[in-house]
Amino acid sequence: MKARAVRGVLLAGLLFLVVHVGAVSLAPTFEAAGYQTVEDPQNPTNSALYLGAILVVTALMLAAFKYDFDWAVRLVIVASSGMLSWYVFSVFLPGFAAVAAAGLVAVALLAYPEWYVIDAAGALMGAGAAGLFGISFGLLPAIVLLTVLAVYDAISVYGTEHMLDLAEGVLDLNIPVVLVIPLEWSYSLLAEGSTEGATEGTDEDERDVFFIGLGDAVMPAVMAASAAFWSPAPAFGLPVVPAMGLPTLLAIVGTFVGLAVLLRMVLKGRPHAGLPLLNGGAIGGYLVGSLVAGVPLVQALGLAQYL
């Protein structure tokens, strides 16, 4: 692998690591702050409701692109970035300071959406979103959610291909729906345009940048955060991530195994569905970690309450 590709792989890995470690660290703090978003986190129907919300949002975004309402999509995403940033800042900063910091994130995205601004905002909101979902989805709902989304991602990329249409629509908006991975540090998203040098079918010698959907980082991180918060396995008690135990650690390792395979394919220049590899790695790693930690499979799957 050439040096430029190595830089891209390392940056992608760093962003995924920030999202995962951030989510695991934030999950118990979010719960203590009362940020849990559902009444019964163990109810697997929560997954169905969330999937339905994804389908509705996807349809609305595709319609917005078709009828030239791109500006509305950009404003909604930037506002969402500010809101998720506030969740993160609110557990560290006093009220007004948290609002001001979140506002700065939104303003930066509007005023100067260079690739590093987008990636920083994406990592911040990704950690916040995964942490919120981690405390709101118990082990079974998290596994169901990740499994269904992996299947949906594969169908939408290789079957209906509407996810490719959605990706094409958001790339030109310069918003943290995708992580921007330049292969040269001198690359400028604003100067070059979001899609230049990243067209389908180019190899790593011809392209300057590749893109990974933010959801590809967030969804497997939900499994890690859920495992950290809900698994009965003992935690390591590490300083930054005190809730991390073996199931959480191996869920992250499994995600990175999937990421390595995904990046190898992405660097060849063709679009691929990320969630089958990433979610599959996260779930598989979590289950292996649970068994090694002495958690029965039925309990690790969240099925014990139904038996």
Side-chain angles (χ1 to χ4, degrees), residues 101-112:
L104 285 175
V105 172
V107 170
L109 287 171
L110 288 173
Y112 192 72

Side-chain angles (χ1 to χ4, degrees), residues 115-279:
W115 67 265
Y116 44 82
V117 174
I118 291 173
D119 285 351
L124 182 67
M125 64 186 292
L132 289 171
F133 282 117
I135 64 172
S136 301
F137 284 78
L139 297 172
L140 178 60
I143 292 172
V144 171
L145 176 66
L146 266 66
T147 301
V148 173
L149 285 178
V151 174
Y152 168 71
D153 195 31
I155 293 173
S156 63
V157 171
Y158 304 126
T160 64
E161 298 187 356
H162 70 269
M163 194 60 71
L164 300 180
D165 295 333
L166 184 65
E168 184 178 350
V170 301
L171 284 180
D172 292 327
L173 298 182
N174 295 347
I175 51 177
V177 172
V178 293
L179 298 173
V180 185
I181 313 296
L183 299 183
E184 298 285 352
W185 296 130
S186 60
Y187 172 80
S188 172
L189 185 66
L190 298 178
E192 300 294 334
S194 63
T195 58
E196 184 173 330
T199 55
E200 180 179 348
T202 59
D203 60 36
E204 67 177 74
D205 289 326
E206 297 172 320
R207 67 195 314 193
D208 298 319
V209 62
F210 65 88
F211 302 90
I212 301 177
L214 181 60
D216 288 344
V218 171
M219 286 301 113
V222 171
M223 186 73 256
S226 179
F229 191 75
W230 299 104
S231 174
F236 299 141
L238 299 175
V240 178
V241 282
M244 179 180 287
L246 195 57
T248 302
L249 176 61
L250 290 193
I252 296 174
V253 170
T255 299
F256 273 79
V257 171
L259 179 62
V261 177
L262 176 64
L263 291 179
R264 184 176 180 84
M265 295 189 297
V266 168
L267 284 169
K268 293 180 180 179
R270 301 192 61 184
H272 290 279
L275 292 185
L277 289 168
L278 298 165
N279 287 2

